[in-house]
Amino acid sequence: RKEVEQDPGPFNVPEGATVAFNCTYSNSASQSFFWYRQDCRKEPKLLMSVYSSGNEDGRFTAQLNRASQYISLLIRDSKLSDSATYLCVVNRGNTPLVFGKGTRLSVIA
Amino acid sequence: EPEVTQTPSHQVTQMGQEVILRCVPISNHLYFYWYRQILGQKVEFLVSFYNNEISEKSEIFDDQFSVERPDGSNFTLKIRSTKLEDSAMYFCASSEGVGGYEQYFGPGTRLTVT
């Protein structure tokens, strides 16, 4: 079983839509959780950390369910510039990041 | 805003040649990492470095790979004898700490081995 699993997509949505991505992780010892975005052939860029209480940054909301080992990212009012691959990332304390393969989003005008 | 920088942006080399990829981490960061991403695949951890020594490495990081911090700013990844399967994007990252600390990535070096 992969340590971090994501639906690869692609998700094709119109501008203004709300879209949600899900991610599951297999290692219950995972302690820190992040969403990164990656544009084609570019580096991963940190979008937001994910906290147990859930957190919001503008149009983006991240949630964590430790019992179900599940992380989500909600994007409201999608913009063309949101088109990218969204990477779910976890680590187990003093260990390197473990990446999911990513979910591709295309926002269409 | 401080950022991680990497050089070169693209390196083409022949199989069996040595390559050195360079990174300048964010100046107040203490932890440094190399990751790689083969085209179409996920980002994979290679090695982490703290206090002038390797703190963790993956199975990918075999004897052909080495890392060094030759001065106060640069962090390098050397591949001694490149193979075709080493062709990938190599990303350097740095963080202030470990655990919940966020890692920031450089723009990457695209390595093509022919």
Side-chain angles (χ1 to χ4, degrees), chain B residues 17-86:
Chain B
Q17 296 296 303
E18 174 184 286
V19 294
I20 298 176
L21 310 183
R22 292 183 166 78
C23 168
V24 178
I26 294 172
S27 62
N28 64 330
H29 285 186
L30 301 176
Y31 294 82
F32 315 120
Y33 312 85
W34 285 101
Y35 291 82
R36 79 169 186 193
Q37 186 175 32
I38 294 169
L39 189 63
Q41 297 189 24
K42 65 177 184 177
V43 177
E44 300 175 289
F45 168 72
L46 292 177
V47 65
S48 58
F49 193 85
Y50 169 69
N51 201 24
N52 282 320
E53 59 183 29
I54 290 173
S55 46
E56 190 166 347
K57 59 184 180 179
S58 72
E59 291 172 356
I60 304 167
F61 194 87
D62 62 22
D63 292 344
Q64 293 300 311
F65 291 88
S66 62
V67 288
E68 200 177 37
R69 187 151 162 87
D71 54 43
S73 59
N74 289 286
F75 178 50
T76 62
L77 174 70
K78 184 194 288 188
I79 309 175
R80 260 181 274 285
S81 176
T82 50
K83 307 186 197 64
L84 293 175
E85 54 265 36
D86 293 328

Side-chain angles (χ1 to χ4, degrees), chain A residues 54-89:
Chain A
N55 47 305
E56 190 174 305
D57 183 2
R59 298 181 292 109
F60 298 85
T61 300
Q63 295 205 306
L64 167 65
N65 183 322
R66 285 187 187 268
S68 304
Q69 295 181 199
Y70 169 93
I71 306 159
S72 66
L73 177 68
L74 185 78
I75 305 176
R76 287 180 298 279
D77 188 23
S78 299
K79 312 244 179 261
L80 295 175
S81 56
D82 293 334
S83 297
T85 297
Y86 289 83
L87 308 176
C88 177
V89 184

Side-chain angles (χ1 to χ4, degrees), chain A:
Chain A
R1 186 182 167 189
K2 293 178 189 155
E3 190 158 353
V4 179
E5 292 211 59
Q6 296 182 250
D7 180 343
F11 284 57
N12 299 314
V13 304
E15 268 186 295
T18 295
V19 61
F21 304 134
N22 303 319
C23 166
T24 57
Y25 59 96
S26 60
N27 195 320
S28 59
S30 299
Q31 293 181 15
S32 303
F33 310 91
F34 310 91
W35 283 102
Y36 281 74
R37 73 169 272 168
Q38 186 174 31
D39 293 287
C40 190
R41 297 187 175 230
K42 300 283 189 182
E43 75 273 26
K45 287 195 170 159
L46 180 68
L47 186 64
M48 56 201 305
S49 301
V50 188
Y51 305 117
S52 295
S53 53
N55 47 305
E56 190 174 305
D57 183 2
R59 298 181 292 109
F60 298 85
T61 300
Q63 295 205 306
L64 167 65
N65 183 322
R66 285 187 187 268
S68 304
Q69 295 181 199
Y70 169 93
I71 306 159
S72 66
L73 177 68
L74 185 78
I75 305 176
R76 287 180 298 279
D77 188 23
S78 299
K79 312 244 179 261
L80 295 175
S81 56
D82 293 334
S83 297
T85 297
Y86 289 83
L87 308 176
C88 177
V89 184
V90 307
N91 81 1
R92 290 175 267 120
N94 295 341
T95 58
L97 300 179
V98 179
F99 283 77
K101 204 168 173 194
T103 299
R104 197 150 54 90
L105 171 67
S106 288
V107 181
I108 304 157

